[in-house]
């Protein structure tokens, strides 16, 4: 019974921690390159980068991340910014802070 309670409590805690509506976003674009970004408790890091992934097949991917400090929240999203076939857009990904620390 203790294991089941712990699991349910942990799941509830995780769901509360990742309630997107209650968290503010720190939005980062390519104009923030080579800058340090600081997140406060209850903030999400949202990265928006230019992309032409659907037409070229090239896109942005996470290379290294310290999962003890930051965790990916959801999958990459592609937002098309031009009309017609192919063209440009923006890739968007969100991260949530897990604990104090630094990651590249």
């Amino acid at each position: 019974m203790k294991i089941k309670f712990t699991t349910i409590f942990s799941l509830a805690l995780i769901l509360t921690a990742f309630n997107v509506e209650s968290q503010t976003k720190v939005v980062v674009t390519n104009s923030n390159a080579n800058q340090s970004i600081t997140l406060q408790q209850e903030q999400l890091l949202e990265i928006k980068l230019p992309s032409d992934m659907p037409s070229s097949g090239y896109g942005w991917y996470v290379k290294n991340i310290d999962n003890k400090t930051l965790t990916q929240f959801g999958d990459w999203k592609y937002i098309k910014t031009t009309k017609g076939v192919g063209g440009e857009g923006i890739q968007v990904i969100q991260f949530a802070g897990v604990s104090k620390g630094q990651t590249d």
Side-chain angles (χ1 to χ4, degrees):
M1 186 67 173
K2 185 176 180 181
I3 293 172
K4 187 175 181 180
F5 174 76
T6 303
T7 303
I8 292 171
F9 179 74
S10 297
L11 181 60
L13 185 62
I14 289 169
L15 291 175
T16 302
F18 293 112
N19 183 355
V20 177
E21 287 79 26
S22 69
Q23 296 177 319
T24 59
K25 295 177 188 174
V26 174
V27 179
V28 176
T29 66
N30 58 345
S31 66
N32 299 104
N34 299 315
Q35 295 179 5
S36 294
I37 306 298
T38 302
L39 294 179
Q40 301 298 320
Q41 188 175 359
E42 298 293 321
Q43 286 184 316
L44 288 176
L45 174 64
E46 183 172 272
I47 301 174
K48 295 182 174 185
L49 298 170
S51 174
D52 63 351
M53 192 166 122
S55 60
S56 70
Y58 292 101
W60 297 99
Y61 300 94
V62 177
K63 183 176 178 183
N64 296 319
I65 190 168
D66 179 359
N67 288 319
K68 295 176 185 173
T69 304
L70 202 62
T71 187
Q72 185 173 327
F73 186 73
D75 293 322
W76 281 98
K77 296 175 188 161
Y78 180 78
I79 302 169
K80 191 171 181 174
T81 58
T82 58
K83 294 182 180 182
V85 178
E88 297 177 356
I90 298 171
Q91 275 185 261
V92 180
I93 187 72
Q94 292 181 337
F95 294 91
V98 177
S99 66
K100 270 189 172 181
Q102 294 182 332
T103 187
D104 294 328

